[in-house]
Amino acid sequence: MQAIQETQPGRPADASATRLEVKDLNAYYGKHLAVKGVNMQFEPGAITALIGPSGCGKSTLLRCLNRMHEVIPHAHVEGEVLLDGQNLYEPGVDPTDTRRRIGMVFQRPNPFPTMTIMDNVLAGVRLAGKPPGDATLEEISEKSLRRAALWDEVKDKLHKAGTSLSGGQQQRLCIARALAVDPEVLLMDEPASALDPISTVKIEELMRELRGAYTIIIVTHNMQQAARCSDYTGFMLAGEAATGELVEFDTTSKMFTTPKEKRTEDYITGRFG
Amino acid sequence: MSQESAEVISATAGASARAARTRISPAGDRIFMFLLYASAWFVLAIVAALFLVLLQRSWPAIQTIGLGVFTQLWDPGGGHFGVLTFIYGTIVTSAIALLIAGPVGIGAALFLAELAPKRLATPVAMLIELLAAVPSVVYGIWGLFVLVPVIRMYIGPALQHTFGFLPLFQGPIYGVGMLAGGLILSIMVVPTVAAISRDVFEAVPNDQREGMLALGSTKWEMMTKAVLPYARSGVVGALVLGLGRALGEAMAVVMVIGNKPQIVASLFQPAYTMASVPANEFSEATGKVYISALIEVGLLLFIVSLLVNISARLLVWNASGRGRR
């Protein structure tokens, strides 16, 4: 709790300055159009959930936001993703810079097995060369682990292997690793789907604690999770030729009580997907 | 126990296998099991027999020479059978081979696994594996007619000009010598190192690469900080297997190393290796002790190669065990 009130070096304390916006975004795998015509604005400091059945393109859309989509061979993106008005897909924008500002947590916990817990947390900081501000590496790792609600569990074994932790702890370690480079936006791709129920609850609590300090966008196949944790929800659905579209995007309470679209209502009430 | 586990396997194979199981008689199962066990033990028996025959045949030399093998003088006519010069030659040429083939093989494997587009990577990987199948005498002929003159006229003088202050690169340049032996071995070891390292790199899970990229790494940082550390022990295994090949190579080395038993610093000087001595001198060896001493050289090499290979297996085994987790 106390960690959230600390101001961060290098950027304003509240994330309301950072706006993330998607304009006319199409994502391709080779010739296959996987996501079509997405327009959305993410509320700064809020949690936005992307839901939809498997193969609807929600993970693809998420990976377009920090330019991780193009890492897959033959994958490419059309359209604009604006971070503070700057189009991330403009020529000359460095994708490594983008990924430092927009952190990502994956479906399966992926700590680096040859690194200690502390080295895992600092992996991204060391890439950037100089740590932000004048904080020491020890301070950064402690702060990041506290923010990820993992400090109390690992403070006595910072020099043990990251993979010695349980699955849920590994995922929080990956969150700490993402937070250590001080991003403005945090993308989470089904962060709890590989975890047990208790670890899932911990991740959800953690998301609520991080709310306000970071703009969080989470992909989930779990509707209850979206309803529990998020402020806004986007519903995606794959139409013809397995091309995903954003069907509806609104506040979570509206989406789950009075959706405008019939297809949203059908999905939320469990009629398909 | 064997029958039990066979039953468990066929039981878990599901309904489709159930019909088949009733048709195979228990006797058939037992015969098949016996054949498998026999094949496995046969391989072990060959290794054991090889070792025993080498030991038995080198026994006269071991008795006559004793610890005298660990001296420098190799003079079969005078009854001196010191093998230290061969051990030295083997170590130096293998070290040169590994120093060159290690970086080149790992680099080629990284390129093929991480950077090359698939339509380029697949044929190049096949070519590399083909290189590993070229007979060593072909490498030897190429070494003798191409590599040796090139060392004498270009590589040797250039090295001497630049690094002549080091004892390694002093003295006359004959062409044949430890440098030629090391270089020919390095060419032969590259395919081994590259092919195995490539398999190891391809076994690195993609989430490791994406995890590093998502932190804002460049592709180079992703390779050096995520892929290489994860693949570390597997790559060491590839290097040790390559070293095993270098240690045991006889034919190609005989043809380019000059075959002179001596311990000198200069890489331009001829030398002799453990593998080449028996290959080269067996036909002209006279006398019981001489032949027996050659076999003892083979025995020593057998032991060294076995140890190198066991350590390689253990390393590769560790690597794949970690990949599964």
Side-chain angles (χ1 to χ4, degrees):
Chain A
M1 273 289 139
Q2 111 209 48
I4 291 167
Q5 275 124 35
E6 284 170 24
T7 45
Q8 302 212 8
R11 70 176 171 91
D14 76 318
S16 58
T18 310
R19 307 190 65 83
L20 188 64
E21 196 178 346
V22 176
K23 275 187 183 166
D24 299 324
L25 184 120
N26 297 329
Y28 294 84
Y29 292 100
K31 289 198 176 91
H32 171 61
L33 179 59
V35 172
K36 187 176 130 191
V38 172
N39 282 287
M40 61 198 306
Q41 273 194 339
F42 297 99
E43 178 71 20
I47 300 177
T48 303
L50 294 172
I51 61 169
S54 301
C56 69
K58 52 194 191 299
S59 288
T60 304
L61 173 60
L62 192 76
R63 293 168 61 97
C64 290
L65 300 180
N66 68 340
R67 298 194 58 172
M68 281 298 284
H69 179 62
E70 67 204 51
V71 166
I72 297 163
H74 310 300
H76 73 282
V77 176
E78 289 169 359
E80 293 182 359
V81 175
L82 302 162
L83 184 64
D84 275 343
Q86 160 81 51
N87 179 14
L88 301 178
Y89 282 95
E90 216 161 73
V93 174
D94 184 357
T96 65
D97 211 47
T98 299
R99 292 174 197 144
R100 231 166 266 153
R101 294 180 66 185
I102 307 181
M104 190 167 207
V105 177
F106 295 84
Q107 183 171 357
R108 261 174 39 120
N110 58 347
F112 303 120
T114 54
M115 295 186 193
T116 63
I117 291 171
M118 187 164 156
D119 287 338
N120 260 288
V121 176
L122 296 173
V125 179
R126 293 206 167 111
L127 289 175
K130 194 170 78 73
D134 46 7
T136 65
L137 290 175
E138 283 78 13
E139 284 165 6
I140 291 173
S141 69
E142 177 175 346
K143 196 175 81 179
S144 310
L145 284 166
R146 278 190 192 282
R147 286 189 162 226
L150 191 59
W151 175 253
D152 290 333
E153 290 159 65
V154 301
K155 63 184 174 197
D156 299 322
K157 47 179 177 178
L158 289 174
H159 297 287
K160 288 221 170 112
T163 42
S164 67
L165 300 173
S166 75
Q169 289 173 325
Q170 287 188 18
Q171 191 62 302
R172 278 179 282 146
L173 178 61
C174 292
I175 293 172
R177 183 174 75 185
L179 296 181
V181 284
D182 205 21
E184 294 146 68
V185 180
L186 189 61
L187 308 179
M188 303 174 104
D189 189 356
E190 304 196 20
S193 68
L195 305 180
D196 62 90
I198 292 170
S199 302
T200 303
V201 169
K202 281 194 178 155
I203 299 281
E204 289 179 8
E205 279 171 1
L206 175 58
M207 280 166 50
R208 279 191 286 268
E209 282 175 28
L210 296 174
R211 188 175 167 274
Y214 304 88
T215 302
I216 297 177
I217 303 161
I218 174 175
V219 161
T220 176
H221 63 237
N222 181 336
M223 274 184 286
Q224 284 73 38
Q225 189 170 55
R228 276 195 303 265
C229 309
S230 68
D231 305 299
Y232 296 86
T233 299
F235 171 58
M236 291 182 75
L237 195 60
E240 282 168 52
T243 296
E245 286 177 73
L246 184 66
V247 174
E248 193 172 350
F249 177 43
D250 213 325
T251 63
T252 299
S253 58
K254 271 192 194 154
M255 287 287 282
F256 279 89
T257 52
T258 53
K260 289 193 201 79
E261 286 272 339
K262 178 82 169 57
R263 288 176 291 173
T264 312
E265 192 182 331
D266 285 350
Y267 182 72
I268 284 167
T269 52
R271 228 163 284 170
F272 67 88
Chain B
M1 177 240 146
S2 55
Q3 218 178 338
E4 248 173 51
S5 54
E7 270 170 23
V8 170
I9 289 164
S10 49
T12 50
S16 58
R18 209 156 288 156
R21 191 180 53 174
T22 53
R23 256 180 287 148
I24 295 172
S25 66
D29 262 8
R30 271 203 295 276
I31 292 169
F32 188 58
M33 198 62 76
F34 171 78
L35 284 175
L36 293 186
Y37 268 72
S39 317
W41 283 108
F42 184 66
V43 175
L44 279 178
I46 287 181
V47 176
L50 200 61
F51 181 78
L52 285 177
V53 168
L54 280 174
L55 190 66
Q56 185 228 335
R57 291 300 193 88
S58 56
W59 195 246
I62 292 172
Q63 274 186 320
T64 318
I65 313 163
L67 286 175
V69 284
F70 298 110
T71 57
Q72 283 197 37
L73 184 62
W74 178 261
D75 174 21
H80 298 287
F81 298 97
V83 301
L84 280 184
T85 54
F86 311 147
I87 294 176
Y88 177 77
T90 294
I91 289 173
V92 171
T93 51
S94 299
I96 295 172
L98 211 59
L99 275 177
I100 296 171
V104 172
I106 294 169
L110 260 185
F111 171 74
L112 289 175
E114 304 294 331
L115 295 176
K118 204 158 186 74
R119 62 175 189 283
L120 177 68
T122 313
V124 172
M126 277 172 65
L127 271 177
I128 286 179
E129 274 161 34
L130 206 70
L131 271 183
V134 173
S136 54
V137 68
V138 176
Y139 283 106
I141 292 172
W142 179 83
L144 191 58
F145 290 110
V146 179
L147 187 61
V148 166
V150 166
I151 288 176
R152 190 169 54 232
M153 289 183 287
Y154 305 106
I155 300 178
L159 280 173
Q160 197 158 54
H161 183 75
T162 320
F163 300 108
F165 57 91
L166 292 171
L168 291 177
F169 302 109
Q170 286 168 359
I173 302 164
Y174 301 114
V176 295
M178 284 189 281
L179 185 62
L183 284 180
I184 202 81
L185 282 178
S186 70
I187 293 169
M188 298 175 71
V189 168
V190 162
T192 309
V193 175
I196 299 173
S197 303
R198 177 171 169 264
D199 287 346
V200 174
F201 292 144
E202 296 206 325
V204 174
N206 223 9
D207 62 14
Q208 293 287 315
R209 297 185 179 87
E210 296 205 327
M212 196 51 94
L213 284 174
L215 290 172
S217 78
T218 61
K219 204 151 191 177
W220 168 249
E221 288 167 326
M222 175 203 87
M223 287 191 279
T224 53
K225 296 187 175 173
V227 176
L228 271 178
Y230 193 97
R232 190 174 51 193
S233 49
V235 169
V236 173
L239 291 176
V240 179
L241 282 180
L243 178 63
R245 180 149 203 227
L247 291 173
E249 178 53 43
M251 212 55 231
V253 179
V254 166
M255 296 171 80
V256 299
I257 200 170
N259 302 326
K260 188 175 174 195
Q262 59 174 357
I263 296 180
V264 281
S266 174
L267 299 180
F268 301 135
Q269 285 285 322
Y272 222 164
T273 69
M274 292 170 85
S276 1
V277 176
N280 205 30
E281 300 194 2
F282 210 84
S283 55
E284 58 206 48
T286 50
K288 197 174 156 197
V289 180
Y290 189 3
I291 293 177
S292 181
L294 290 177
I295 295 172
E296 192 183 348
V297 172
L299 178 70
L300 290 172
L301 185 60
F302 181 82
I303 292 170
V304 169
S305 312
L306 206 65
L307 290 178
V308 166
N309 269 293
I310 288 172
S311 49
R313 289 290 158 200
L314 288 177
L315 281 165
V316 173
W317 189 35
N318 274 348
S320 58
R322 199 180 55 195
R324 239 176 280 129
R325 189 166 59 199

